[in-house]
Amino acid sequence: MTPKQFTHLDETGAAHMVDVGEKAVTVRQAIAVATVQTTPEVVTQIEQQSLRKGDVLAVARVAGIMAAKRTSDLIPLCHPLALTKVTVEFALQPEQGRVQITVVCAVQGVTGVEMEALTAASVAALTIHDMCKAVDPALVINGIQLQEKTGGKSGHWQREHVNHG
């Protein structure tokens, strides 16, 4: 079995953008998650939309979508993609003081959308932090990870054990 190689390194070890010109166009989807750990009181305030900055989840959703669309501007070797779908969903767990973020990105293209999903989940979490930092500066973001991906040569991959922090 041949060991997997880093695709963004050329034969000399220099970083380069992978040539995807010969790859087949397929429907590709990626799901990424992140967790915001705060206090039960803050999650209740998010749920009741009573924080001074406004509707935290609406702003975080739009921020995540915008981030997915701008991923290639942030991650140097990512290809710009014409995304066909970006969803950012939140599961509030007030008792645990947690907000679970799930992002789904899709494209019909020659390269995957993992980085777009991960970027969207990260920026949605950072936006929640920004909007809640006045009431909980100790808020923690963790568990940013790819959950599942489909499409392309490698087909379907799913994380066996999900770690949401």
Side-chain angles (χ1 to χ4, degrees), residues 47-66:
E47 190 171 42
Q48 295 172 351
Q49 298 181 17
S50 61
L51 288 161
R52 287 184 41 202
K53 286 191 173 184
D55 186 343
V56 172
L57 300 182
V59 175
R61 179 174 285 112
V62 172
I65 292 167
M66 290 175 63

Side-chain angles (χ1 to χ4, degrees), residues 2-164:
T2 306
K4 293 188 178 208
Q5 301 293 315
F6 289 110
T7 58
H8 287 88
L9 299 177
D10 68 14
E11 59 280 348
T12 69
H16 73 104
M17 191 172 197
V18 175
D19 182 357
V20 295
E22 300 297 319
K23 293 173 78 176
V25 173
T26 63
V27 175
R28 297 159 185 264
Q29 180 171 288
I31 301 170
V33 297
T35 302
V36 174
Q37 184 66 56
T38 182
T39 67
E41 296 77 23
V42 171
V43 176
T44 299
Q45 287 181 290
I46 291 170
E47 190 171 42
Q48 295 172 351
Q49 298 181 17
S50 61
L51 288 161
R52 287 184 41 202
K53 286 191 173 184
D55 186 343
V56 172
L57 300 182
V59 175
R61 179 174 285 112
V62 172
I65 292 167
M66 290 175 63
K69 292 166 47 173
R70 301 291 304 265
T71 299
S72 66
D73 292 337
L74 301 169
I75 310 294
L77 301 178
C78 279
H79 293 82
L81 300 179
L83 297 170
T84 58
K85 173 183 181 179
V86 179
T87 63
V88 180
E89 299 298 328
F90 305 97
L92 300 177
Q93 299 172 339
E95 307 80 31
Q96 293 85 20
R98 261 197 304 259
V99 179
Q100 300 286 99
I101 302 165
T102 302
V103 174
V104 178
C105 290
V107 69
Q108 291 182 8
V110 296
T111 189
V113 291
E114 298 92 336
M115 294 309 300
E116 287 72 13
L118 287 161
T119 300
S122 301
V123 170
L126 288 167
T127 301
I128 292 171
H129 187 286
D130 180 53
M131 295 190 73
C132 297
K133 66 187 176 199
V135 292
D136 183 11
L139 179 151
V140 174
I141 297 168
N142 57 34
I144 300 168
Q145 60 191 26
L146 184 65
Q147 174 84 5
E148 184 175 359
K149 70 182 195 91
T150 58
K153 185 173 81 173
S154 60
H156 183 242
W157 176 87
Q158 186 171 13
R159 183 173 299 282
E160 291 184 29
H161 300 287
V162 179
N163 177 15
H164 289 296

